[in-house]
Amino acid sequence: MNCFEHKENSAVGICKACNKAVCSTCAKDTGNGLACSEKCEIEVSHLNQIVAKSKLIYNIGTNNTSIPSGILIHVFFSILFLGWSAYEYFATSRVNEFVLFMGLGFALMAIIMYRKLKKLNLNC
Ligand SMILES: [Zn+2]
Ligand SMILES: [Zn+2]
C-alpha cells in the first residue's frame, strides 16, 4: 500500500480520522494514532478525548477490582449479624432467628447487588 498523497512512497500507517494511508513524510503522530493533515490531527485528538472520557465514565481499563462501597457495607453488616448469631449460638446454644435472618438478608443483598453490577460491567 502506498501513501494517499505521495503515490511513490510506501505507507507507514493509516490516518486515524479519515483512514487514508500515510507515508513517513506526511504522517503526523498524535501520540495515539496517526493523522494525515492538520485537520485530521484535530479530529484525532477529539476522538482520543472522547475515548478517554468514555473510559473514565464507564470505568473501563482502570483494572478497578475494588468492590463498590454499597456492597461492602452489606457484606460488613452480614458478617456482623452472622458473627453475632454464631456467638449467641455458642454462648446459649440457641439460635437467635432474628439476628441470623438479618445476617442472611444482608448477605443476599450483597450478592444481588454484586451480580447486578457484574452484569452491567459498570462501576459508576
Ligand atoms: Zn486524515
Ligand atoms: Zn505521504
Side-chain angles (χ1 to χ4, degrees), residues 91-105:
T92 65
S93 68
R94 273 191 315 121
V95 178
N96 188 332
E97 274 160 19
F98 172 73
V99 177
L100 186 67
F101 180 75
M102 288 292 280
L104 291 175

Side-chain angles (χ1 to χ4, degrees), residues 14 26 31 48 52-53 57 60 66 69 73 79 84 96 106 111:
I14 287 171
C26 58
N48 288 340
K53 277 179 187 163
I57 292 165
I60 295 166
S66 71
S69 55
I73 289 164
I79 290 167
W84 182 1
N96 188 332
F106 275 113
I111 291 165

Side-chain angles (χ1 to χ4, degrees), residues 3-17:
C3 175
F4 187 82
E5 296 293 334
H6 316 90
K7 306 286 181 204
E8 69 284 356
N9 293 348
S10 60
V12 291
I14 287 171
C15 171
K16 200 175 176 179

Side-chain angles (χ1 to χ4, degrees), residues 15-20 22 35-37 40:
C15 171
K16 200 175 176 179
C18 65
N19 290 322
K20 282 176 191 159
V22 288
C36 66
S37 61
C40 281

